[in-house]
Amino acid sequence: MNLQLDIEALQLGEYSDSNAIFGLSDDEIAATVSIKGEQALRHYSFNEAGRAELAKLKVDADAVFVLLPEAPLEQAKSQVYQDTLALVPQLAQSKKVYLFPYGRCAMQLALRQALKLFNQQLAGSIQVLAYHQDERLAATQALEQTASIASECFIAARLQPAKRGFAVPWASYEVQTSDKSIAATVAALIQRYRGQCGQELTQCYMPSALSSDLMDGWLAAFQCFENSVGSRSQVIFADARVGDLAACTGLFNLCHLFTHYQQQKHAGLSFQLDISDQTYRSAMMLAWVA
């Protein structure tokens, strides 16, 4: 099944132009720097105009998927889900809402459910919503000197079956257990891809805004790609310019990839790896059908 993806809202700090955010235009985006004494923080924070635009978003699909941080469901519902309701009031009127509290892996796991609903003809269109605000941007938090960017991001995208779009020929995920290292878990995903598909990849979307142990883990496993990643393969760190987007990460990467395919900046097969803070590691291979 091929899927069309339409970006209905994308807000990264004060920016809402997807071409600028994804580096497809001449416009540069830059994080704001806030300084208090000798402390500084680079950040993308919403302004009131951006919040006002998001409040107008129509939530009218057959089903609505909300991507949430990796947390027990009740905790996620009491925190970020409530923040998302406040940001997009029409969400409260939706009758069929699915919650995915899987952090950076939420989009990939939500996509599995979306394909199931479409194949069973239980939905004709699905809206996917994701909101993230770095805890350092909360009013009660003191500024701190840091090399990383603190981001506030909201994405709304609509998925529906289509003749043209992207397909997901392969996808898999792993749940981290105490008896396995991060490297072993990610390596299992990559080796599964090589065993079940193994086709040479043109683009690889890999995470960079991670803690050092998560980053070291997937870097150690990357060698397992062997012949699937060649000299013509491009490794893309979509989060490098925007910081950690937490539950927005997977959807941000998918929107980035889809937009590049649409504008013929991408071709061939793409691979996307997402790693949540604690438990989930997911991967998928995507193909473009023009």
Side-chain angles (χ1 to χ4, degrees):
M1 176 181 290
N2 306 323
L3 298 177
Q4 170 73 23
L5 183 148
D6 294 304
I7 302 173
E8 299 183 322
L10 173 56
Q11 193 74 35
L12 175 70
E14 62 183 19
Y15 299 100
S16 58
D17 181 348
S18 61
N19 282 334
I21 293 171
F22 295 149
L24 287 167
S25 71
D26 294 331
D27 296 333
E28 290 292 328
I29 65 171
T32 301
V33 179
S34 292
I35 300 173
K36 184 184 292 182
E38 295 182 355
Q39 295 178 309
L41 181 68
R42 292 190 302 151
H43 61 92
Y44 291 104
S45 300
F46 288 179
N47 54 28
E48 289 306 314
R51 289 182 178 277
E53 282 301 308
L54 294 179
K56 301 175 186 176
L57 180 70
K58 292 184 178 180
V59 184
D60 57 1
D62 298 325
V64 181
F65 289 4
V66 182
L67 312 183
L68 297 170
E70 184 181 14
L73 183 57
E74 289 308 313
Q75 179 183 337
K77 285 175 65 176
S78 66
Q79 295 178 2
V80 177
Y81 183 64
Q82 297 304 316
D83 294 338
T84 308
L85 281 171
L87 201 61
V88 185
Q90 284 201 29
L91 175 58
Q93 309 303 317
S94 301
K95 294 182 179 179
K96 190 176 289 187
V97 178
Y98 296 75
L99 305 182
F100 296 87
Y102 307 116
R104 298 184 195 92
C105 295
M107 184 61 222
Q108 290 201 37
L109 296 177
L111 196 52
R112 297 168 71 93
Q113 180 66 26
L115 288 167
K116 182 178 179 180
L117 292 179
F118 289 144
N119 280 320
Q120 296 178 349
Q121 298 184 339
L122 297 176
S125 68
I126 295 172
Q127 278 177 295
V128 186
L129 311 180
Y131 173 63
H132 166 65
Q133 183 186 50
D134 191 295
E135 62 182 10
R136 291 171 292 174
L137 297 176
T140 56
Q141 294 290 319
L143 297 181
E144 61 181 55
Q145 186 70 38
T146 176
S148 65
I149 296 171
S151 291
E152 186 171 18
C153 180
F154 176 83
I155 310 172
R158 187 178 297 258
L159 290 170
Q160 51 194 6
K163 292 183 179 179
R164 300 175 57 189
F166 72 90
V168 187
W170 179 89
S172 188
Y173 71 95
E174 286 279 326
V175 176
Q176 186 78 47
T177 55
S178 59
D179 61 327
K180 292 183 180 179
S181 67
I182 296 166
T185 306
V186 176
L189 277 175
I190 295 174
Q191 289 166 348
R192 192 174 302 142
Y193 168 75
R194 289 187 61 235
Q196 296 175 351
C197 294
Q199 295 171 272
E200 185 171 348
L201 300 162
T202 309
Q203 294 85 212
C204 293
Y205 279 73
M206 297 295 184
S208 65
L210 298 173
S211 62
S212 58
D213 60 331
L214 293 175
M215 192 71 184
D216 291 344
W218 82 253
L219 284 171
F222 191 71
Q223 61 183 332
C224 297
F225 265 123
E226 294 185 17
N227 296 332
S228 295
V229 175
S231 59
R232 293 181 296 177
S233 304
Q234 182 183 15
V235 179
I236 299 168
F237 301 103
D239 57 3
R241 296 167 68 238
V242 301
D244 180 17
L245 300 181
C248 292
T249 299
L251 180 55
F252 184 89
N253 288 343
L254 188 61
C255 290
H256 187 286
L257 180 147
F258 190 89
T259 305
H260 277 68
Y261 270 135
Q262 275 189 317
Q263 299 195 17
Q264 299 182 338
K265 304 293 184 182
H266 279 2
L269 300 176
S270 297
F271 186 91
Q272 181 174 321
L273 173 70
D274 288 317
I275 300 176
S276 70
D277 281 331
Q278 300 170 20
T279 306
Y280 299 95
R281 290 80 178 90
S282 60
M284 60 182 174
M285 185 259 276
L286 301 107
W288 181 252
V289 181

